[in-house]
């Protein structure tokens, strides 16, 4: 046993670790087997096939050589004909025999032998078992006819002068050319154009027919008229073109028979070729062909990718894109998977667009179509979602795939993506610019409730206009409104700016005021060179540097402005003396483009302190006061911030007064609110915003407004006893975008006194995730109901609401007929407009052109005049033709498609999306201000002008005003002006005398006074007698009618309207009684139809302030510089920086 153990055999080499490390040659050679692949290609036949057929480049060379040989044979035939001298006379000998020189014969024999050998080799290589299929090919038969006779003449000399139809080689040359083109496209790996191939085939067919007929007739006529090649060619052209002069005709029957055969062949072959060509041309027109690579390398172009292209979207894009001067030389390539619409085709045939817009039918998911559009050479790619789809989530998914495909194909091409749902935004974060429709839409609608007409303000800012709209109108408000609508946001480096470089080292507030005073530009923000974040109104503590990028609002950018130096004066003169105004020569530089004129400012001496009660002021009091007291003067704006004089806004520490002195009549226990970030975000990618929150989340049962629970028994809005007016939002579903409606209204910078209760009127019950996201926000409720149900509106507290927002429903965004998607929404809003005339209703529409139906009055001549004005502005090429519609000007209607220009403008202004999101409160940057509003009361009219208000705000609270929302009564004009009659726009509750004289008009106030029993509509007998009197008066002769007839018509209409209003009022009250709701709130509702409202962006400094003006402000970030605010600065409303004492959002 021990012997066996001692004789253990060593391990084989493959199992020894040493051999594995050092290597064992015997092991390696033992297991290795050499395997040869592609053995078949090692054979002689396969190598020849690879060279002549399979290899693209070598086969291309072979076909090019073959094509050259065929052309050479045709050329040799023509040389032989020219050298030939046939004997005159009629017979078959000149047809069968020709004179062929020895040198020419040798060359033709050599070419024939080469062609024969090449043909036989290709037949051998392409043989697949059926030899007859190869033999009976037309090309093989022609080759044999043109080569075998020459080979035979080598061995039989008498046949060397035999006629051989070598001119038939032209058809072989045509076949070789087609194969050569195909190999050429395969060799360069480029997709061939079917249209190019078809045109080439047609041209070659025509050429071969003409050449065959010319040579055949010339040869046959050797036995007849002895025609030359040129005469034969002339005859063929005249014959094939169906002209037929008859001066040249064939003389013998063989040539006549050949002509008949050629005409029959042409009648059969050419129509087939033309049919194929026309079909390809029509398909090319549908698909759009290709964008030239040479043009892509020499010219600049952008690509527009859409699911379906509508005429409105196309015109919005083209008008906005080509509104910028430096984009005039760009091409626009449209890549769309659907066939071109008839209206789009008609527009693209206009010379203005046909030279710059190219439509390609294709998909962005195919590299072939992206190559056709030359995506890799594009300056930018715009990917737009189809908002008219029923399933908007599916539309977003298509947009995401398009963005991924473009990024994969052309990673260096800048992407501009439009997304619909906010939860899908993070999928396209890699794009250079992204606009989420629902985020912007809901934030804009929310700001509309606290800052009136924010939708109009933002829409005008993101549209390109020169401010020429409405300048031919006879009405002053239209001219002012149109001129101010031309203001846009521009940027300039401060060190290179004539507007701002003199304020280097000064505070931001100082630069903003003096730039507006001197040049009429409104400085709203800046960006540091070392920081990518844009700061809106960073405050007086921010000192300007030469490297800062300034963002300002003006009619045009600084580069396009002309400056006129009126008088060179020293800029360091002292301020104006007491009791004197600043003269026009005080301003050395004026901007002609801005057209702001001379600004008169009342400034104090620097020794004066901030006025508290008007003491020491040198300004004369307003004349309407009737008193000798002088109004307070305005402190100058300091060059650098003075911490002792500056009153910073501290919203985090300024809530003590609001919380410790609750209202006694509130009837509810005061709940402590906390400031923090919402713990539950409904989707990924939402920007965190500091908000007012509940310390403990509310139970889901308490969020239901119309149903009580174990925590409270309230079942209607009246029972809650809200102190502020309600904000009602009507939506189809509680989508994630609705979260962005709540956040701006609960932002930390809004005072607790300003928080309005929010009621969500939803068609469908919200899901658990949405309720989890909103349960921390105070005074946010929901209710199931529809906007077209009167009971639902009354239960959600519409009579206690100031604002109602009607969101466009996704299920109605698509309709069989275009522009009918808004039909239900418009009719429902019109009904609410009749039932609740004092309610501020903001409506979202799918199509902006449908806004003309909002608050529609069929016999209103003023609306008719505005319609004519809109058509005239559209004919003049305005991009904002709809701006004069009263609902849009007042901010009562909005369409998200009007914000498509925000994405288009980002190609030139890459900062526009960031600034818009900061204004809407979607993004919060530390140190950046926010948009708010402030109402001008009667006590504030002592300021006088917008320029003085600018100074007052900059000096006291460091706020930057950017515009005015103005409400004024209708002005009656003559018949020659735009406004002919205003009967449908008057206050329907005002009392008129027997001749239409108004009693107790409301003036410019937004709230008329309720008239009691003096209303004729409340007395049926008086109403009947008034109508009879109106009829008798209307029967008078025309010479006595005149103004009396017009007044009678107005009174009759007024009486009819009062009757209609009374019926509607009774209907609403009966429904409220049926639901057990008190009717007192509805009795207090008034009508506002005698007023119109509009937005003035960056008005001139000398614009007079009017009562009820609402000023748009960019207020400093209250968290940027926290300090204690002295109580002594709160006596004057405008002198205080505390937002709680301003009531800027209380309209």
């Amino acid at each position: 046993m021990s012997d066996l153990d001692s004789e253990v055999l060593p391990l084989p080499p493959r199992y020894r670790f040493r051999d594995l490390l050092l290597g064992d040659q015997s092991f390696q050679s033992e297991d290795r087997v050499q395997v040869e692949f592609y053995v078949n290609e090692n054979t002689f036949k396969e190598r020849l096939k690879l060279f002549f057929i399979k290899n693209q480049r070598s086969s291309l060379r072979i076909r090019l050589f073959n094509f050259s040989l065929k052309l050479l044979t045709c050329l040799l035939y023509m040389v032989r004909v020219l050298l030939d001298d046939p004997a005159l006379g009629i017979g078959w000998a000149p047809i069968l025999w020709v004179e062929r020189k020895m040198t020419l014969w040798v060359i033709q024999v050599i070419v024939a032998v080469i062609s024969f050998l090449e043909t036989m080799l290709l037949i051998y290589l392409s043989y697949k078992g059926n030899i007859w299929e190869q033999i009976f090919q037309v090309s093989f038969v022609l080759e044999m006819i043109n080569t075998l006779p020459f080979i035979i003449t080598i061995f039989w000399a008498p046949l060397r002068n035999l006629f051989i139809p070598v001119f038939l080689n032209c058809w072989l040359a045509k076949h070789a050319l087609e194969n050569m083109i195909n190999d050429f496209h395969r060799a360069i790996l480029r997709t061939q154009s079917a249209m190019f191939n078809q045109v080439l085939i047609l041209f070659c067919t025509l050429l071969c027919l003409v050449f065959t007929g010319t040579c055949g007739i010339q040869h046959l006529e050797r036995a007849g008229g002895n025609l030359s090649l040129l005469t034969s060619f002339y005859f063929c052209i005249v014959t094939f073109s169906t002209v037929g002069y008859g001066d040249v005709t064939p003389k013998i029957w063989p040539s006549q028979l050949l002509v008949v055969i050629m005409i029959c062949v042409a009648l059969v072959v050419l129509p087939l070729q033309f049919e194929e060509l026309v079909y390809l041309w029509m398909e090319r027109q549908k698909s759009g062909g290709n964008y030239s690579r040479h043009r892509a390398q020499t010219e600049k172009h952008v690509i527009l990718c859409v699911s379906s292209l509508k005429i409105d979207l196309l015109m919005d894009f083209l008008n906005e894109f080509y509104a910028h001067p430096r984009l005039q030389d760009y091409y626009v390539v449209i890549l769309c998977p659907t066939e071109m619409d008839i209206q789009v085709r008609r527009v693209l045939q206009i010379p203005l667009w046909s030279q710059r817009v190219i439509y390609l039918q294709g998909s962005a998911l195919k590299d072939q179509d992206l190559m056709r559009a030359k995506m890799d050479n594009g300056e930018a790619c715009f990917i737009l979602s189809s908002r008219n789809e029923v399933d908007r989530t599916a539309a977003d998914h298509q947009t995401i795939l398009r963005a991924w495909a473009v990024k994969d194909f052309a990673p260096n091409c800048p992407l501009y993506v439009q997304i619909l749902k906010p939860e899908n935004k993070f999928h396209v974060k890699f794009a250079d610019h992204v606009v989420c429709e629902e985020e912007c839409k809901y934030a804009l609608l929310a700001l509309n409730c606290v800052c009136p007409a924010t939708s109009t303000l933002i829409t005008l800012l993101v549209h390109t206009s020169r401010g020429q709209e409405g300048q031919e109108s006879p009405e002053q408000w239209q001219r002012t409104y149109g001129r101010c609508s031309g203001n846009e946001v521009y940027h300039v480096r401060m060190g290179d700016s004539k507007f701002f470089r003199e304020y280097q080292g000064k505070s931001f507030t100082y630069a903003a005021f003096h730039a507006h005073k001197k040049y009429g530009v409104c400085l709203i923000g800046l960006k540091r060179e070392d920081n990518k974040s844009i700061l809106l109104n960073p405050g007086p503590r921010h000192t300007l540097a030469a490297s800062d990028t300034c963002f300002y609002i003006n009619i045009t950018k600084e580069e396009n402005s002309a400056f006129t130096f009126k008088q060179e004066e020293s800029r360091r003169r002292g301020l104006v003396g007491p009791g004197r105004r600043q003269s026009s020569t005080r301003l050395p530089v004026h901007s002609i483009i801005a057209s702001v004129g001379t600004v008169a400012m009342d400034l104090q001496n620097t020794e004066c302190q901030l006025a508290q009660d008007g003491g020491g002021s040198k300004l004369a009091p307003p004349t309407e006061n009737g008193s000798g007291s002088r109004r307070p003067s305005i402190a100058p704006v300091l060059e650098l911030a003075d911490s002792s004089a500056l009153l910073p806004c501290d919203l985090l520490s300024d809530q003590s007064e609001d919380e410790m002195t609750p209202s006694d009549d509130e009837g509810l226990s005061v709940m402590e609110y906390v400031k923090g970030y919402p713990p539950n975000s409904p989707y990924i990618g939402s920007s965190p915003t500091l908000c007012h929150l509940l310390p403990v989340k509310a139970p889901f049962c308490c969020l239901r407004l119309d149903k009580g629970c174990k925590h409270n028994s309230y079942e209607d809005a009246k029972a809650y006893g809200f102190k502020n007016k309600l904000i009602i939002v009507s939506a189809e579903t509680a989508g994630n975008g609705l979260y962005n409606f709540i956040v701006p209204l609960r932002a930390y910078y809004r005072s607790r006194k300003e928080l309005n209760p929010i009621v969500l009127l939803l068609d469908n019950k919200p899901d658990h995730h949405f309720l989890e996201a909103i349960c921390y926000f105070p005074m946010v409720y929901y209710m199931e109901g529809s906007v077209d149900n009167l009971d639902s509106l009354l239960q959600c507290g519409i009579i206690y609401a100031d604002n109602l927002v009607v969101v466009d429903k996704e299920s109605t965004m698509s309709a069989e007929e275009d522009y009918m998607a808004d039909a239900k929404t418009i009719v429902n809003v019109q009904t609410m407009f009749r039932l609740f005339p004092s309610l501020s209703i903001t409506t979202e529409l799918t199509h902006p052109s449908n806004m003309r139906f909002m608050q529609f009055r069929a016999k209103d001549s003023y609306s008719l005049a505005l319609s004519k004005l809109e058509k005239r502005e559209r004919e003049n090429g305005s991009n904002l033709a709809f701006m004069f519609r009263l609902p849009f000007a007042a901010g009562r209607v909005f369409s998200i498609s009007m914000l498509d220009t925000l994405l288009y403008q980002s190609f030139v202004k890459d900062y526009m999306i960031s600034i818009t999101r900061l204004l809407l409160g979607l993004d919060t940057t530390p140190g950046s201000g926010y948009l708010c509003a402030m109402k001008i009361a009667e006590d504030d009219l002592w300021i006088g002008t917008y320029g003085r208000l600018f100074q007052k705000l900059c000096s006291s609270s460091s706020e930057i005003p950017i515009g005015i929302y103005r409400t004024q009564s209708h002005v009656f004009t003559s018949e020659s002006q735009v406004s002919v009659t205003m009967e449908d726009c008057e206050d329907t509750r005002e009392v008129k005398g027997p001749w239409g004289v108004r009693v107790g008009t409301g003036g410019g106030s937004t709230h008329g006074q309720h008239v009691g029993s003096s209303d004729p509509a409340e007395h049926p007998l008086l109403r009947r007698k008034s109508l009879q009197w109106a009829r008798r008066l209307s029967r008078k002769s025309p010479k006595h009618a005149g103004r009396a007839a017009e007044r009678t018509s107005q009174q009759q209409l007024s009486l009819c309207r009062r009757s209609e209003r009374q019926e509607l009022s009774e209907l609403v009250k009966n429904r409220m009684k049926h639901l057990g709701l008190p009717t007192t709130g509805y009795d207090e509702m008034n009508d506002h139809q005698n007023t119109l409202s509009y937005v003035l962006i960056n008005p001139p400094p000398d614009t007079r302030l009017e009562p009820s003006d609402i000023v748009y402000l960019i207020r400093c970030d209250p968290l940027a510089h926290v300090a204690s605010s002295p109580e002594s600065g709160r006596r004057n409303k405008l002198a205080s920086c505390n937002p709680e004492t301003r009531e800027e959002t209380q309209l």
Side-chain angles (χ1 to χ4, degrees), residues 868-1114:
K868 294 180 180 179
L869 177 62
E870 177 181 351
K871 295 176 182 177
R872 185 165 63 250
E873 293 295 336
R874 185 177 289 109
E875 293 174 356
N876 294 335
S878 172
N879 299 339
L880 297 170
F882 53 82
M883 61 177 292
F884 293 102
R885 291 288 182 177
L886 295 182
F888 173 78
R892 298 289 183 261
V893 65
F894 168 72
S895 176
I896 189 60
S897 62
M898 295 188 297
L899 285 186
D900 288 346
T901 56
L902 176 62
L903 189 66
Y904 311 152
Q905 275 203 0
S906 299
F907 181 66
V908 178
K909 306 175 182 178
D910 56 355
Y911 49 84
M912 278 305 300
I913 295 179
S914 300
I915 290 180
T916 303
R917 291 181 63 88
L918 288 174
L919 289 175
L920 297 180
L922 291 173
D923 291 339
T924 54
T925 303
S928 178
Y930 60 94
L931 180 66
C932 61
M934 175 191 66
K935 184 175 181 180
I936 300 296
E938 293 288 344
D939 297 338
D940 304 324
L941 294 179
W942 63 268
I943 296 180
T945 62
Y946 180 77
R948 287 172 51 81
L949 176 67
F950 206 116
Q951 180 184 359
K952 179 63 179 175
L953 293 173
C954 289
S955 61
S956 60
S957 55
S958 303
E959 296 168 340
I960 306 298
I962 62 174
I964 297 176
Y965 178 72
R966 177 158 293 175
T967 301
Q968 65 185 32
S969 59
H970 281 293
V971 179
F972 290 88
T973 57
S974 62
E975 295 181 358
S976 62
Q977 295 181 346
V978 174
S979 178
V980 181
T981 58
M982 302 296 297
E983 64 263 19
D984 286 347
C985 297
E986 294 175 351
D987 189 355
T988 58
R989 290 191 178 273
E990 67 186 8
V991 182
K992 296 187 178 183
W995 295 99
V997 179
R998 291 183 295 174
V999 179
T1001 58
S1005 173
T1006 59
H1007 294 280
Q1009 295 187 0
H1010 181 65
V1011 181
S1013 60
S1014 61
D1015 193 344
E1018 298 183 3
H1019 303 282
L1021 181 60
L1022 177 60
R1023 177 176 175 270
R1024 286 198 302 268
K1025 290 183 178 181
S1026 299
L1027 290 177
Q1028 293 173 2
W1029 166 79
R1031 293 192 191 100
R1032 286 197 305 269
L1033 189 61
S1034 63
R1035 296 192 190 102
K1036 292 183 179 181
S1037 58
K1039 63 180 180 179
H1040 296 292
R1043 297 179 61 87
E1046 183 180 354
R1047 292 175 181 174
T1048 303
S1049 174
Q1050 292 182 2
Q1051 189 173 23
Q1052 187 174 0
L1053 262 170
S1054 179
L1055 291 175
C1056 292
R1057 279 203 312 273
R1058 288 194 178 96
S1059 176
E1060 177 185 346
R1061 179 61 51 79
Q1062 187 178 17
E1063 293 176 2
L1064 294 175
S1065 177
E1066 292 298 329
L1067 171 65
V1068 174
K1069 290 180 180 179
N1070 289 335
R1071 293 308 306 163
M1072 294 179 68
K1073 292 178 182 178
H1074 177 75
L1075 296 174
L1077 301 175
T1079 61
T1080 55
Y1082 185 75
D1083 292 334
E1084 298 174 357
M1085 302 188 77
N1086 299 315
D1087 198 350
H1088 296 171
Q1089 297 182 17
N1090 64 327
T1091 60
L1092 61 86
S1093 303
Y1094 53 93
V1095 176
L1096 300 178
I1097 304 177
N1098 188 27
D1102 53 359
T1103 302
R1104 301 293 302 178
L1105 298 178
E1106 296 183 4
S1108 301
D1109 277 354
I1110 297 177
V1111 181
Y1112 299 104
L1113 306 173
I1114 299 181

Side-chain angles (χ1 to χ4, degrees), residues 100-116:
R100 185 176 287 115
K101 304 294 182 181
M102 178 60 67
T103 306
L104 186 62
W105 174 79
V106 171
I107 296 175
Q108 286 185 325
V109 168
I110 295 174
V111 172
V113 171
I114 296 175
S115 298
F116 180 78

Side-chain angles (χ1 to χ4, degrees), residues 107 342 430 565 570 599 655 663 729 801 868 928:
I107 296 175
I342 297 178
F430 58 86
F565 294 87
S570 175
V599 185
Q655 303 295 331
S663 176
V729 186
K868 294 180 180 179
S928 178

Side-chain angles (χ1 to χ4, degrees), residues 209-252:
L209 283 174
V210 172
F211 183 75
T212 303
T214 300
C215 295
I217 292 173
Q218 185 275 333
H219 177 72
L220 293 176
E221 282 298 315
R222 285 162 52 89
N226 192 17
L227 301 178
S228 65
L229 275 178
L230 181 60
T231 307
S232 258
F233 176 74
Y234 167 76
F235 170 75
C236 290
I237 293 297
V238 171
T239 302
F240 286 158
S241 62
T242 68
V243 176
Y245 290 116
D247 53 345
V248 179
T249 56
K251 297 297 189 296
I252 59 176

Side-chain angles (χ1 to χ4, degrees), residues 732-893:
E732 185 176 18
T733 57
N736 293 329
L738 200 56
Y739 174 81
N740 294 291
F741 184 92
I742 301 174
V743 170
L745 299 179
R746 294 294 180 265
Y748 70 97
Y749 45 75
R750 304 199 182 278
S751 170
R752 195 183 141 183
K753 284 186 176 180
E754 298 178 357
L755 299 184
N756 299 87
I758 302 174
V759 179
L760 309 178
L761 184 61
L762 306 174
D763 291 358
N764 303 313
K765 186 177 180 180
D767 56 9
H768 176 81
H769 298 288
F770 180 78
L771 295 179
E772 189 71 28
I774 68 171
C775 63
Y776 280 96
F777 293 104
M779 293 187 295
V780 177
Y781 308 93
Y782 78 93
M783 172 183 165
E784 295 182 32
S786 177
V787 72
D788 55 357
N789 189 339
L790 181 59
D791 291 353
S792 299
L793 293 174
L794 294 176
Q795 285 181 344
C796 71
I798 192 171
I799 62 174
Y800 308 111
D802 263 349
N803 292 274
L804 171 64
V805 177
V806 181
V807 181
D808 197 8
K809 298 182 179 180
E810 296 182 10
S811 59
T812 61
M813 285 185 177
S814 60
E816 296 182 359
E817 182 181 354
D818 289 342
Y819 304 103
M820 280 296 177
D822 298 320
K824 185 176 181 181
T825 302
I826 292 174
V827 174
N828 290 336
V829 173
Q830 183 75 358
T831 303
M832 289 186 292
F833 176 68
R834 297 288 183 87
L835 293 176
F836 311 100
S838 66
L839 184 64
S840 176
I841 306 176
T842 304
T843 310
E844 183 204 358
L845 299 179
T846 303
H847 302 283
S849 59
N850 287 335
M851 68 176 60
R852 64 183 186 273
F853 302 118
M854 301 303 299
Q855 303 179 9
F856 183 76
R857 303 181 183 92
K859 298 182 180 180
D860 187 6
S861 58
Y862 194 80
S863 299
L864 180 61
L866 292 178
S867 177
K868 294 180 180 179
L869 177 62
E870 177 181 351
K871 295 176 182 177
R872 185 165 63 250
E873 293 295 336
R874 185 177 289 109
E875 293 174 356
N876 294 335
S878 172
N879 299 339
L880 297 170
F882 53 82
M883 61 177 292
F884 293 102
R885 291 288 182 177
L886 295 182
F888 173 78
R892 298 289 183 261
V893 65

Side-chain angles (χ1 to χ4, degrees), residues 338-624:
T338 60
E339 187 177 348
M340 191 187 308
D341 186 63
I342 297 178
Q343 293 181 341
V344 174
R345 186 186 303 275
R346 189 180 300 117
V347 169
L348 294 185
Q349 290 175 351
I350 300 175
L352 177 63
W353 308 122
S354 61
Q355 303 299 325
R356 298 190 287 185
V357 182
I358 301 171
Y359 187 94
L360 303 181
Q361 183 177 351
S363 173
L365 272 64
K366 296 181 180 179
D367 288 352
Q368 179 180 354
D369 293 331
L370 295 178
M371 189 179 301
R372 289 170 53 207
K374 305 300 181 293
M375 184 68 71
D376 50 345
N377 294 332
E379 298 294 322
C381 177
F382 296 89
I383 303 178
L384 305 183
S385 298
S386 178
R387 63 168 54 91
N388 295 329
E389 296 289 339
V390 177
D391 189 355
R392 294 166 69 86
T393 302
D396 270 350
H397 294 167
Q398 297 176 10
T399 302
I400 293 170
L401 287 183
R402 289 191 183 95
W404 289 354
V406 172
K407 195 66 177 178
D408 177 70
F409 181 83
N412 296 326
C413 182
L415 272 181
Y416 297 77
V417 181
Q418 179 194 63
I419 211 77
L420 301 180
K421 296 283 188 178
E423 58 267 23
N424 298 322
K425 188 176 64 172
F426 78 101
H427 290 294
V428 290
K429 288 185 64 176
F430 58 86
D432 297 82
H433 299 278
V434 180
V435 172
C436 181
E437 180 178 291
E438 288 195 1
E439 269 190 344
C440 297
K441 175 179 72 175
Y442 281 106
L444 204 58
L445 295 175
L447 282 183
N448 250 21
C449 299
V450 292
C451 299
T454 305
S455 58
T456 302
L457 173 71
I458 299 297
T459 302
L460 295 178
L461 279 178
V462 300
H463 272 78
T464 300
S465 171
R466 294 186 177 181
Q468 301 299 322
E469 288 82 2
Q471 297 308 301
E472 299 179 359
S473 173
E475 296 206 15
Q476 178 62 34
W477 79 269
Q478 293 176 355
R479 296 194 298 270
T480 307
Y481 172 53
R483 183 172 62 253
C484 293
S485 67
N487 284 277
E488 299 177 48
V489 181
Y490 300 100
H491 75 290
V492 67
R493 187 176 179 274
M494 183 182 174
D496 305 330
S497 172
K498 293 183 179 180
F499 287 156
F500 309 112
R501 64 185 175 189
E502 59 183 298
Y503 308 117
Q504 181 179 350
K506 309 295 178 59
S507 67
F508 177 87
T509 310
Y510 179 87
F513 164 66
H514 284 276
H516 184 266
K517 169 187 173 182
K518 192 172 184 179
Y519 301 104
V521 300
C522 181
L523 179 63
I524 61 172
L526 54 81
K527 181 175 66 174
R528 289 292 193 188
E529 186 179 16
D530 55 349
N531 191 356
K532 295 182 179 180
S533 300
I534 298 176
L535 303 178
L536 297 181
N537 187 13
R541 291 185 174 87
H542 192 99
T543 304
L544 297 181
S547 59
D548 291 347
T549 301
C550 298
F551 301 97
Y552 61 95
I553 298 177
N554 196 21
I555 293 290
T556 184
K557 58 182 179 180
E558 181 180 327
E559 292 82 352
N560 298 337
S561 302
F563 299 91
T564 302
F565 294 87
K566 289 188 175 181
Q567 184 177 356
E568 293 294 331
E569 293 185 350
S570 175
R571 296 184 180 178
R572 297 185 179 180
R573 288 179 52 185
L575 297 177
V576 295
R580 296 180 57 189
R581 289 188 178 269
Q582 197 172 358
S583 62
S584 59
T585 59
R586 183 67 179 88
L587 300 177
V589 182
H590 297 265
S591 175
I592 294 179
I593 301 298
S595 301
V596 296
T598 305
V599 185
M601 289 291 175
D602 295 318
L603 302 177
Q604 271 188 302
N605 294 330
T606 54
E607 295 83 359
C608 297
Q609 298 179 355
L610 179 63
Q612 300 287 339
D613 52 1
S617 174
K618 305 298 182 182
L619 299 176
T623 56
E624 61 269 19

